[in-house]
Amino acid sequence: GNKGFLNKHDLKFAMAALFGIRPTKFEVEQILSIAKDYVIRLEQDRQKNSETVHDNSGLEDTEIEGARIYEPIFAQIMMSKLELVDEDDILRQVFCAFDVGCRGFLTFEDALRAFQYVSPKISPQVVHDAFCFGDSDNDGRIGYADFVKIIKGTHLNPQRRYHY
C-alpha cells in the first residue's frame, strides 16, 4: 500500500525483488539497524543545527517504530547497496548455476534443466529457440562470452534456427 514505510515482511520482499534472492534474517536486521542509525544521526544533526529540514523528502517525520523503515531511507540504503553489486560477478554466478558440469559451456540440456527449475511453465520450444539464438557458431554450446552477450542484449542473431 501507500503507507510510507516497510515492515520486516515488506522489507524482505522488496530486497528479494531488487537482488533476486531472499535476504537472511541477519541482512534484514542489519538494514533496520542501518536505518535506525541513520535516523539517529539525522535527528542529532537537526538538534545541532536547531532547524528542521524541509526538503519534501519525507525525512522530516522519519523514525523507526519497532521494525519499520520509511521509504526515503530504504531507497537511500538500497541505492548504496546496488552500487556495490558487481554485474559481472552476478553473470558468472548465473552461468555457473546453469553449467552444472563445470565444463565452461552450456548445452541445450543445461539450459532446459535450468529453465524447468526456475520457470517450469516455459515450453521446451521457447528454451530451444533462445538457445539457438545464442549459439553463435552452431556447435551446440554456449560459452561464457556468448552467454554474457545474450544476457546484456548485445548478441542479436535472429536468423539462427538450429536443431539439437
Side-chain angles (χ1 to χ4, degrees):
N2 291 330
K3 59 189 179 217
F5 64 86
L6 303 172
N7 60 29
K8 272 188 181 182
H9 182 74
D10 299 332
L11 179 59
K12 288 178 197 175
F13 279 101
M15 289 179 70
L18 279 172
F19 298 106
I21 56 172
R22 277 186 19 210
T24 64
K25 287 180 182 180
F26 175 77
E27 289 171 314
V28 171
E29 293 300 326
Q30 185 180 34
I31 296 298
L32 291 171
S33 176
I34 290 168
K36 185 175 183 177
D37 291 346
Y38 179 84
V39 170
I40 290 169
R41 282 193 315 273
L42 183 65
E43 287 302 317
Q44 288 171 343
D45 288 347
R46 284 185 184 157
Q47 289 173 1
K48 188 167 83 174
N49 295 333
S50 297
E51 56 186 60
T52 303
V53 177
H54 294 288
D55 63 0
N56 297 323
S57 68
L59 295 178
E60 300 92 330
D61 302 321
T62 302
E63 59 184 332
I64 302 298
E65 297 173 7
R68 290 182 179 177
I69 179 173
Y70 283 78
E71 290 177 3
I73 294 174
F74 171 77
Q76 287 182 332
I77 293 170
M78 291 302 109
M79 288 299 292
S80 66
K81 286 184 80 60
L82 284 170
E83 289 172 0
L84 299 175
V85 172
D86 180 5
E87 181 180 315
D88 292 328
D89 187 44
I90 291 171
L91 289 175
R92 276 188 293 280
Q93 289 176 17
V94 171
F95 183 82
C96 288
F98 276 55
D99 181 18
V100 294
C102 298
R103 297 172 305 233
F105 61 86
L106 305 177
T107 64
F108 170 69
E109 290 76 23
D110 294 330
L112 185 60
R113 181 177 34 258
F115 277 100
Q116 286 174 340
Y117 180 75
V118 295
S119 187
K121 294 186 183 208
I122 272 190
S123 78
Q125 185 60 47
V126 170
V127 177
H128 177 267
D129 291 347
F131 186 86
C132 291
F133 181 80
D135 184 9
S136 63
D137 59 2
N138 194 24
D139 66 352
R141 300 175 177 183
I142 295 177
Y144 179 72
D146 282 338
F147 178 79
V148 169
K149 289 177 186 175
I150 293 164
I151 298 298
K152 290 186 175 184
T154 59
H155 184 76
L156 301 176
N157 196 1
Q159 301 302 318
R160 296 208 170 270
R161 292 276 187 245
Y162 305 111
H163 301 282
Y164 297 103

